[in-house]
Amino acid sequence: ERFGENAGKKANFKIQLAEISIVKRPELDLEFFKKYGVEDEKELKEKVGESITSRKKAELQSEYRIAVRAQLSALYDEFDLPQELMDFEQEQVQKELDKMSGEKEITEEEKEKKKQEGFDNAKMDLRMKFILDSISEHEELKFDENEAAREFVGLAQITGQSPDELIQSPFGRDMYQRIIIRKQGDATLDRVVARVFGDAIEENVPETHEHVHDENCDHNH
């Protein structure tokens, strides 16, 4: 299709070479080490090794979470969800559809399909939240809000806003709550994984908390 009537025919091409580049290995000198915050080649290798190990550990941890989440969803899918929450989720899905319809034309068939998919996903997420909340309560997990605050601060910097400004907007408050819910869920899934593998359970109770100020604060800023 790309070549039309010339498809399958032999052709001669003329190519003009504009540039040849080669990769030049940098000198492992003091300037190079300083750039990466290390003293020498040995420390650089250690730092790279730690980074690779940390990344692989995070990938494996993510795989465990996904597997455990799927198992929990399959094991505990018989309980009824509160109708009030179900109605709220349906309203949210409908709002998203209305917004989408305003941006581009969608057929009624597509709209119904997306509506059902959206509601099914919302129901699954809601069910999983109930399961994870129950496990968290049973395990008496202490959630470190510092992690959520640090991620929120990073996202605020990306958008070019201060965290305190961003949290005042509906978008910012929703983002912060989503981060907290996800972090709490991850912590609970990690605890389940630890129980499965018989790993030692470490209690992490932070003495001080980073905090993102919103309109619900009841203390002086």
Side-chain angles (χ1 to χ4, degrees):
E1 293 181 2
R2 291 178 57 192
F3 300 101
E5 62 182 14
N6 294 317
K9 295 181 180 179
K10 291 184 178 180
N12 294 321
F13 290 91
K14 289 184 178 181
I15 299 175
Q16 181 178 357
L17 185 61
E19 183 181 5
I20 297 178
S21 300
I22 60 173
V23 177
K24 183 180 179 181
R25 180 179 175 179
E27 293 293 331
L28 299 181
D29 52 20
L30 291 177
E31 184 178 349
F32 178 84
F33 295 137
K34 184 178 180 181
K35 179 180 178 181
Y36 290 95
V38 297
E39 294 291 333
D40 50 33
E41 185 175 354
K42 180 182 177 182
E43 188 178 352
L44 177 64
K45 289 181 178 179
E46 290 175 353
K47 189 173 182 179
V48 171
E50 290 172 359
S51 177
I52 293 173
T53 300
S54 177
R55 186 170 65 251
K56 290 296 183 182
K57 182 179 179 181
E59 290 174 357
L60 187 61
Q61 192 173 36
S62 178
E63 290 176 5
Y64 283 149
R65 287 171 182 165
I66 293 172
V68 168
R69 188 183 179 95
Q71 289 292 325
L72 289 174
S73 181
L75 285 171
Y76 304 104
D77 63 347
E78 297 299 327
F79 64 91
D80 294 327
L81 294 168
Q83 188 59 45
E84 184 177 347
L85 288 177
M86 299 283 284
D87 293 341
F88 174 77
E89 292 298 336
Q90 282 186 315
E91 289 177 8
Q92 295 301 110
V93 170
Q94 188 60 53
K95 286 181 181 178
E96 287 295 324
L97 275 176
D98 292 342
K99 181 180 178 182
M100 191 182 300
S101 299
E103 295 173 351
K104 64 177 182 179
E105 187 175 347
I106 303 177
T107 65
E108 287 299 321
E109 184 179 353
E110 288 178 316
K111 190 180 294 185
E112 282 301 315
K113 182 180 178 181
K114 289 183 179 296
K115 182 177 181 180
Q116 189 59 49
E117 288 177 350
F119 182 61
D120 288 343
N121 289 334
K123 186 166 61 174
M124 184 170 60
D125 289 343
L126 192 60
R127 189 182 299 278
M128 181 54 60
K129 186 177 185 307
F130 268 81
I131 294 171
L132 294 179
D133 284 350
S134 297
I135 294 173
S136 178
E137 183 178 351
H138 180 268
E139 290 284 330
E140 298 181 347
L141 287 178
K142 306 296 182 182
F143 173 64
D144 185 0
E145 194 173 337
N146 290 336
E147 294 185 16
R150 282 192 289 269
E151 183 171 331
F152 183 82
V153 169
L155 291 172
Q157 291 173 343
I158 292 174
T159 62
Q161 302 179 66
S162 75
D164 287 347
E165 288 176 348
L166 183 57
I167 197 65
Q168 300 303 323
S169 68
F171 171 75
R173 287 193 294 272
D174 180 66
M175 179 195 296
Y176 189 49
Q177 287 303 314
R178 287 177 182 273
I179 292 173
I180 288 177
I181 291 172
R182 175 168 51 78
K183 290 287 187 181
Q184 288 175 326
D186 286 348
T188 305
L189 290 171
D190 289 343
R191 174 60 63 87
V192 175
V193 171
R195 292 294 189 193
V196 170
F197 287 98
D199 296 339
I201 304 298
E202 295 183 5
E203 294 294 341
N204 181 22
V205 184
E207 295 181 0
T208 59
H209 290 278
E210 296 179 26
H211 182 66
V212 180
H213 301 298
D214 62 18
E215 61 186 7
N216 298 316
C217 288
D218 58 0
H219 58 269
N220 294 327
H221 292 187

